[in-house]
Amino acid sequence: MMRIVILGAGQAAASMAARLRARGHDGPLTVVGAEPVAPYQRPPLSKAYLLGQMGLERLLLRAPEWWTDQRIDLRLSETATAIDTASRLVTTDRGSLAYDALALTLGARPRRLPEAAGGHLSGVYVIRSLADVDALAPSMRPGRRLIVIGGGYIGLEAAAVARKLDLEVTVLESAPRILGRVAATETADMIRALHQAHGVTIMESASLQRITGTDRATGVALADGRELPADLIVTGIGVLPETRLAHEAGLAIDNGILTDDRGRSSDPAIWAAGDCASFPFEGERIRLESVGGAIDMAETVADNMLGADRAYVAKPWFWSDQFDAKLQIAGLGAGHDRIVTRPGDGRHGGSVWYYRRDRLIAVDALNDARAYMIGKRLIEAGRSPDPQTLAETPDLKALL
C-alpha cells in the first residue's frame, strides 16, 4: 500500500496518475495542484481557447468524475511549500502529506520582464495558464494595437490569434531572426512569410529598452530610440522550470530537476517528469517542453515507481498552429551542420531536414503531414537517407 504523492496537476501529473492505476497501484494516490482547475491541456490556450473556439470543458484532460472513480485524491487550489526528505513529508498551505514515493510534475513558469523594464504594468500579459488567458482575452478586441515581445512559438501563436481577431499586431524579436533558438533559418523564413502575408509586422534585431507607461502600458521604447504605441502587450520570452521546492529540499538541479534515465531524482524516493525535469539524452542533459514528452516521461516514471526499472528514451515531437497552417516537428535540430529543404504543395508549406554528421536528427514540416510522418519514422528507426537523395527523390515514401 505504497503512498504516492504527485505535486503539480498538469499533463504529466494526469498521465502519471492514470498509468499508476492502470498498472495496478491500488494504494493511496494524491495529486496536488495550485490552480483551481483540474488538469487541462495547455497548447490550445494560445490558440483555440483564446479564439473562443474551445471551452473549458473541452480543455479538461479527464472528466471530473474520473478522478473520483479512480480513487485519486485530487487537491486543487493547494500549494506545496516544502519537502522534508528525511521524514518523507510534504508541507502545503493546507497541512501535510506523508509519502513513500513522491513525483514532481511542477511544470515551468513564464519568464517575465523585470519591473525596471515595465514588466509589472497593467496591460502586459503572459500566456501559460488558464488564468493568464482569461485575463488577456477581454483585451483582444478588433482594431486594438498589440505588441508581442518575443518571436518564439508562443509569441507567434498569440500574434496569429490576434490577427484573426482583427487586431494590429507587431512582433518584436531582439535576435537577428525569429525562432532563433528552436528552428533553422529556412523554417523561420517560411513562418515569417506566413505572418507577413496575414498582415503581422515582424521586427527583428529590435532590442527592447522598456515598456512605456506609468500605471498601464502605452507602448515600447526600443534601444535604438524608436517608440511604438500599443494598447496591450504580450511577452513570450521563454519559460523557467519550476525547481524551487526541489532546490530547497536539497535535490540536484541542472537545467531543471536532475533525474537519471529512469526519472529518479538525486533522492531515491523522489521522481520528476515533464517540463520541470532534465534527463540524459544522447550524451547530453536536456528538458523537453512538450505534451508528448510530458506524457511519455510520466508514464515511464509511473512504471518505474512500481518496479519496472525501464529507461526513458525520448522521442521528441512538437507542433504549432498559426493561422490555418500547422508546423509539425520531429526530433531535435540542435547542433545540425547541414540542412536539406523540400518544397511543399501550397504557397506556405514545405519541409526542412536537419543533419548532423550525415545523420538525420530532425524535420520541420509546414503544412506537409507526409514529410513529418516519414521523417519521424526515419528518425525513430535511426535511418538517415543520403541528403542528395532526400533532396531529389520525387516520392518521400521511397525512403522508407
Side-chain angles (χ1 to χ4, degrees), residues 239-307:
V239 298
L240 296 167
E242 284 287 6
T243 59
R244 183 190 62 80
L245 267 181
H247 174 73
E248 292 177 356
L251 303 185
I253 306 296
D254 183 358
N255 182 31
I257 301 167
L258 182 146
T259 70
D260 62 16
D261 65 356
R262 267 58 179 168
R264 195 190 299 263
S265 78
S266 55
D267 182 300
I270 301 178
W271 310 73
D275 290 3
C276 69
S278 70
F279 57 90
F281 178 79
E282 297 185 353
E284 300 180 6
R285 178 162 291 277
I286 67 168
R287 284 189 311 111
L288 278 184
E289 296 168 11
S290 73
V291 171
I295 294 170
D296 292 346
M297 189 174 188
E299 291 183 346
T300 300
V301 166
D303 292 349
N304 290 337
M305 279 181 162
L306 302 180

Side-chain angles (χ1 to χ4, degrees), residues 67-209:
W67 299 93
T68 303
D69 293 345
Q70 294 294 315
R71 295 175 296 105
I72 297 169
D73 183 10
L74 178 61
R75 301 188 177 197
L76 303 176
S77 300
E78 185 167 353
T79 302
T81 56
I83 302 167
D84 184 335
T85 57
S87 59
R88 296 190 177 178
L89 198 69
V90 171
T91 300
T92 78
D93 55 2
R94 293 188 185 177
S96 59
L97 287 164
Y99 66 85
D100 299 304
L102 175 65
L104 305 179
T105 60
L106 297 165
R109 66 186 187 279
R111 292 179 182 270
R112 295 178 185 270
L113 290 171
E115 185 172 331
H120 66 296
L121 294 173
S122 175
V124 179
Y125 302 93
V126 295
I127 297 178
R128 180 69 184 179
S129 69
L130 187 65
D132 292 335
V133 179
D134 284 345
L136 168 63
S139 298
M140 299 280 273
R141 299 198 297 270
R144 304 195 82 194
R145 297 164 298 183
L146 166 67
I147 290 179
V148 177
I149 299 174
Y153 289 123
I154 288 293
L156 291 168
E157 289 170 1
V161 168
R163 280 302 296 144
K164 283 189 171 185
L165 295 173
D166 205 24
L167 281 79
E168 297 179 21
V169 182
T170 299
V171 175
L172 301 181
E173 174 53 61
S174 61
R177 65 172 176 84
I178 59 171
L179 302 176
R181 293 186 304 106
V182 293
T185 299
E186 292 80 356
T187 300
D189 290 346
M190 290 193 294
I191 298 297
R192 185 189 305 104
L194 172 70
H195 278 258
Q196 290 173 340
H198 285 84
V200 177
T201 299
I202 293 184
M203 298 175 61
E204 295 161 314
S205 297
S207 296
L208 177 76
Q209 185 179 70

